[in-house]
Amino acid sequence: MNDTAATENPMNNQVNPYYTAPPARRAWGFAPGDALFAVFSFLLGMLFWDWIVLVSAAGPGISVTLFFAVAAALTGVYLHMLGFRQNRRSIPALIALLAGAAPFTLYDGLPIYTYLLLFEFAAALIWVMNTCGRSVTDRLSGYILYDAINQFIVVPFTNFPGPFKALAHRAKEGGGSRRGLYVFIGILASIPVIAGIVALLISADRGFAELMWNFAKAVNLESFGGYLLKLLIGVPVACYIYGNVFGNAHDRHTDTITKAGSDASLAAARRIPLAAVRPGLIILAVVYAVFFITMGAYLFSAFGGGLPSSYTYAEYARRGFFELCGVAAINLLIVIFVYLFAKRGKGEYPGSLRALTATISAMTILLILTAASKMLLYV
């Protein structure tokens, strides 16, 4: 996003305040360690499928915890090599990342595992962003939405071919390395063709089929083929991981969204009159107050370790858990919507909206604590 207030539009040679020139092409610059981290990224891409996707289908376990631990270790060493140190903003994100990975090992089959995985991915991106200091602002505010767009979409995908670029750059530095890279690419590209020919020959001759079967058993080719498949389907994951980490480390496309541009877009979006926003928030707050009053004894019994009559622990934990999580998510969207689109007087957030959103936020936190206490009682 360009910060220039007015840029000349080449289509009509006039100054147009709404025209922004496309960003200049960003050159690729590589440092020692970039190619090695590219190799590790392909390893992480393969482990993503082997330790998270396939394992999670049967039930998450220690492999999920190990994946995030290995990914954090490799990324941390790489960023340290480039001169980035942990700071007061990155350390809490790293602690949250590692702590969020622990329940996969400690507990079996928690219903929140899907949400916890999403939290882990978000915590990893936030940790890298804060380690490299690439957030839009240094404070927790509405700009976090722009950070989310930048880190989840812009940075990783604009640097998506990064691992291949890094390996190609490393190959150009030495003839031996280049030949090795070409040999690897040639073998990788010929595998599908050779596999097709071998399959036809196996169908054509029984003796050749037995020979290939014995060879496959001798070299454990079945496991090798499985790992090769995971490596190939892990390439997009590797490119995404490398694109985000490399882009933040080298400050490449991290300034696509800036504070000045964010302020301009926010100001243009705030068009909903306060009279149209306040009634809905008031009604919502009253609904939550009535809900807590009528369901208080049932909802809060988990805080004292008690179990309502006619409920088992599993029934009590599961009844309403996902509904409360859904309500909390909807409340978050409502607060964000009001913050982004409600009109403001003289650029300040109106006090009435501040009070209403704070009330709804407090009730949402209470809902989250209630759902968590029920789940902990079940555990």
Side-chain angles (χ1 to χ4, degrees), residues 245-270:
V245 178
F246 175 87
N248 281 283
H250 290 268
D251 196 13
R252 192 171 188 274
H253 290 289
T254 57
D255 57 347
T256 302
I257 298 178
T258 62
K259 184 176 183 300
S262 302
D263 289 336
S265 61
L266 282 173
R270 292 166 182 155

Side-chain angles (χ1 to χ4, degrees), residues 48-61 63-64 113-114 117:
F48 173 80
W49 289 96
D50 196 31
W51 286 4
I52 292 186
V53 177
L54 298 180
V55 171
S56 296
S63 62
V64 180
Y113 272 164
T114 301
L117 275 176

Side-chain angles (χ1 to χ4, degrees), residues 82-359:
L82 296 180
F84 295 100
R85 302 294 182 265
Q86 299 304 310
N87 53 67
R88 61 182 180 85
R89 299 188 64 198
S90 65
I91 291 177
L94 178 60
I95 293 175
L97 172 65
L98 298 178
F104 293 99
T105 299
L106 300 176
Y107 307 108
D108 294 329
L110 290 180
I112 61 173
Y113 272 164
T114 301
Y115 303 103
L116 191 55
L117 275 176
L118 296 177
F119 169 81
E120 285 293 276
F121 297 139
L125 296 180
I126 293 173
W127 171 55
V128 173
M129 177 188 69
N130 289 336
T131 301
C132 301
R134 306 304 182 193
S135 58
V136 174
T137 64
D138 294 333
R139 297 190 309 164
L140 182 62
S141 64
Y143 293 104
I144 193 174
L145 299 176
Y146 292 95
D147 282 328
I149 296 173
N150 214 23
Q151 295 298 322
F152 277 91
I153 301 174
V154 178
V155 174
F157 285 109
T158 52
N159 297 285
F160 203 72
F164 298 102
K165 294 277 189 179
L167 292 175
H169 175 78
R170 180 66 182 88
K172 291 179 181 178
E173 293 182 349
S177 299
R178 182 184 301 181
R179 287 192 295 271
L181 178 64
Y182 290 160
V183 169
F184 174 75
I185 295 176
I187 293 176
L188 194 63
S190 65
I191 287 177
V193 178
I194 295 175
I197 293 175
V198 170
L200 293 174
L201 294 176
I202 288 175
S203 300
D205 183 73
R206 181 177 180 180
F208 184 76
E210 293 180 356
L211 176 64
M212 289 293 99
W213 173 250
N214 292 331
F215 174 77
K217 290 177 61 178
V219 300
N220 199 16
L221 193 59
E222 294 178 349
S223 298
F224 174 78
Y227 282 116
L228 180 62
L229 176 61
K230 293 170 188 174
L231 177 61
L232 292 177
I233 62 179
V235 168
V237 179
C239 290
Y240 186 90
I241 294 174
Y242 189 89
N244 179 267
V245 178
F246 175 87
N248 281 283
H250 290 268
D251 196 13
R252 192 171 188 274
H253 290 289
T254 57
D255 57 347
T256 302
I257 298 178
T258 62
K259 184 176 183 300
S262 302
D263 289 336
S265 61
L266 282 173
R270 292 166 182 155
R271 296 183 177 275
I272 301 179
L274 297 182
V277 176
R278 290 195 191 100
L281 294 179
I282 294 174
I283 295 173
L284 185 61
V286 171
V287 169
Y288 284 135
V290 173
F291 175 78
F292 283 123
I293 291 173
T294 56
M295 301 294 292
Y298 164 78
L299 285 175
F300 302 133
S301 60
F303 284 111
L307 184 68
S309 59
S310 73
Y311 278 96
T312 65
Y313 283 103
E315 290 172 342
Y316 181 55
R318 294 178 181 274
R319 182 175 177 83
F321 176 82
F322 293 104
E323 290 81 0
L324 293 178
C325 290
V327 170
I330 294 174
N331 287 347
L332 175 62
L333 294 177
I334 291 174
V335 172
I336 292 174
F337 179 85
V338 172
Y339 181 85
L340 291 179
F341 300 110
K343 280 188 176 181
R344 301 191 177 190
K346 299 181 180 179
E348 297 182 355
Y349 197 52
S352 59
L353 293 187
R354 192 183 302 274
L356 287 170
T357 53
T359 301

